[in-house]
Amino acid sequence: MFRKSPLFLLILNLIVICLVTAFAPLERTLGANARVVYLHGAWVWAALAAFLVSGVAGLLGLIRRKPEYHRWSTALGRSGLVFWVTYLPISLWAMQTSWNGLFLAEPRWRLALVFAVSGLLLQVGLTLLERPTWTSAGNLAFILVLVLALRATENVMHPPSPILSSDAWRIQLYFSLLLALTLLAAYQVARLTLPDSES
């Protein structure tokens, strides 16, 4: 019974993510510090994926007017926010290990902070309103604005996508595994925050 608990499965998955991160392949330049970068990348991609699917579910809910889509839009929006907010300290850790300091003027980090605060305020407001259609519309608007902001934000020290541009197949294979586990964790968080079907 306890082993089937969604919270237990989430905790178990987080332990596996920690173990996989600890035994990640080293990188020529960053060495063992690359492990933090891998985790940082998987974590933010999981947040973006949750936001994106939340927006899609919200759009489907608005078009098809089915409560189930609104419920999943709500849960995935909350899950995306959890991963986005917790991505910030991981990002600082990655900065420290990769750049030997905190470069808080990095445009992508400032954008992440702004959307963490605005996302938190949005989710609190939508929860207080308790209107599923507004939640779906808010989650759809949030991911659209976030994608536009990311496209318009320049990289100063942050590389565009070092994992995808790498020729090291072991690193890409490892990162794919870590990303899959992190996406599973985002789904598990969404399941834990899924509103009751009556709401």
Side-chain angles (χ1 to χ4, degrees), residues 5 13-14 29 36-37 46 58 73-74 82 84 89 99 101 112 125 130 136 145 148 177 182 195-196:
S5 162
N13 188 22
L14 292 174
T29 305
V36 182
V37 176
S73 179
T74 300
V82 166
W84 190 267
W99 303 337
E130 294 184 347
S136 290
V145 173
L148 291 173
L177 171 63
T182 311
D196 294 333

Side-chain angles (χ1 to χ4, degrees), residues 91-172:
S91 178
L92 292 175
W93 185 17
M95 275 189 206
Q96 184 64 47
T97 58
S98 302
W99 303 337
N100 295 318
L102 301 179
F103 187 58
L104 301 182
E106 167 64 44
R108 286 200 170 253
W109 197 87
R110 287 185 305 175
L111 178 136
L113 181 61
V114 167
F115 275 86
V117 173
S118 59
L120 184 60
L121 292 173
L122 175 67
Q123 290 301 325
V124 168
L126 292 174
T127 300
L128 292 174
L129 283 173
E130 294 184 347
R131 294 190 178 180
T133 54
W134 286 31
T135 300
S136 290
N139 288 332
L140 177 60
F142 184 82
I143 186 58
L144 290 175
V145 173
L146 178 56
V147 168
L148 291 173
L150 284 170
R151 288 176 60 87
T153 303
E154 64 178 337
N155 290 315
V156 175
M157 294 183 70
H158 193 290
S161 183
I163 302 294
L164 295 179
S165 60
S166 172
D167 292 329
W169 66 269
R170 283 181 63 237
I171 289 177
Q172 290 181 335

Side-chain angles (χ1 to χ4, degrees), residues 46-58 76 80 139-140 143-144 146-147:
L48 288 170
F51 284 142
L52 179 62
V53 180
S54 171
V56 171
L76 287 162
N139 288 332
L140 177 60
I143 186 58
L144 290 175
L146 178 56
V147 168

